[in-house]
Amino acid sequence: PRTDMAEFREVFAKAKHIAIITGAGVSAESGVPTFRGAGGFWRKWQAQDLATPGAFARNPSRVWEFYHYRREVMLSKHPNPAHVAIAECEKRLRKQGRSVVVITQNIDELHRKAGTKHLLEIHGSLFKTRCTSCGNVAANYKSPICPALAGKGAPDPDAEDAVIPVEDLPQCEEDGCHGLLRPHVVWFGETLDPDILTEVEKELDLCDLCLVVSEVLWPSRYRAAGTRWRG
C-alpha cells in the first residue's frame, strides 16, 4: 500500500468522482456491536446462527428478538467523527461540482444519520422491513417495532426466548396483506440485491478515486478497488 500522503492529496485534489467503501470498522467507535469473533454472541448464538432464512423459518420469534435488540441499540447510537467527516466531504465536494458515493456493508444507517446523501447499502438496513407475503419494503423506525417485542431481546445468556406467536410479530400494513415481516437485510446464504450490485459496479467503474475506510471485510473484487487511488 502507498503511504505517500503528499501524493495522495494530489490525487484527491484532482478526483472528480470518489467512491468510499465502508464496513463494520467505521461504526466501531459509535459502540455498535458487530457480533464477529470471540465474544460476539447474542445469548448463546452468533449472528450466523440467527441471520439466515432457515433460522427465521424455524423460529421467527427468536430472530425478531435478536433484530429488535439490535434496532433498539442502534436507536441510542450516534455517528462518530468518521461518519461525519465522510458526510462533510460529500457536501463540500458537491459544491465544487465533484461527487462522492458511499458504498457500505453496514446496516446501522449511521452514514445516513450523519448526512450522507449518495449512499448504497449493499446489505440492507435494520430500519427497513420486507413482507414475506407481498414483498413490500418499507422504512420502519417504530420502537418497539410491535407491542409483543416491548422489553424483549435481552442478550444475557440466561435470558429465555419470548416464544411470541407469529400473528403477534411484525405484520405487513399493506391493504389486505398482514403477512409476516422480516428485516430487510441480506442474510447468510442469500444473494445481494442485483440492482444494488449493478449500481455499485457502475460507481466503481466511474470513480477515479476509491477509498476503503474500515476493516478488510469485503469480497476480493471490492477490496482490490481500494488500490485504485494509485492512478
Side-chain angles (χ1 to χ4, degrees), residues 70-119:
R70 297 181 71 180
R71 284 166 57 95
E72 294 298 302
V73 166
M74 284 314 309
L75 287 172
S76 71
K77 303 301 181 183
H78 303 284
N80 64 53
H83 298 108
V84 173
I86 290 170
E88 290 181 350
C89 176
E90 179 193 28
K91 182 179 180 180
R92 177 168 57 87
L93 296 190
R94 189 187 308 121
K95 294 178 180 178
Q96 301 174 9
R98 301 157 71 191
S99 68
V100 173
V101 59
V102 177
I103 303 166
T104 188
Q105 69 173 8
N106 297 339
I107 61 175
D108 53 38
E109 291 204 3
L110 289 179
H111 281 300
R112 194 179 302 279
K113 237 180 182 179
T116 293
K117 304 299 183 186
H118 194 181
L119 180 65

Side-chain angles (χ1 to χ4, degrees), residues 159-200:
E160 295 185 0
D161 285 357
V163 194
I164 300 169
V166 170
E167 59 270 21
D168 292 332
L169 292 172
Q171 304 289 314
C172 183
E173 297 180 0
E174 289 293 291
D175 290 343
C177 183
H178 308 296
L180 175 65
L181 296 179
R182 56 160 283 179
H184 185 53
V185 297
V186 179
W187 281 335
F188 292 96
E190 294 183 324
T191 57
L192 300 178
D193 184 328
D195 292 334
I196 294 290
L197 277 184
T198 297
E199 288 189 62
V200 168

Side-chain angles (χ1 to χ4, degrees), residues 11-45:
V11 172
F12 184 86
K14 294 178 180 178
K16 298 298 184 184
H17 188 97
I18 300 170
I20 302 177
I21 299 177
T22 71
V26 81
S27 293
E29 191 177 329
S30 295
V32 178
T34 64
F35 299 101
R36 291 180 180 273
F41 285 84
W42 176 83
R43 295 181 184 169
K44 62 182 179 181
W45 295 281

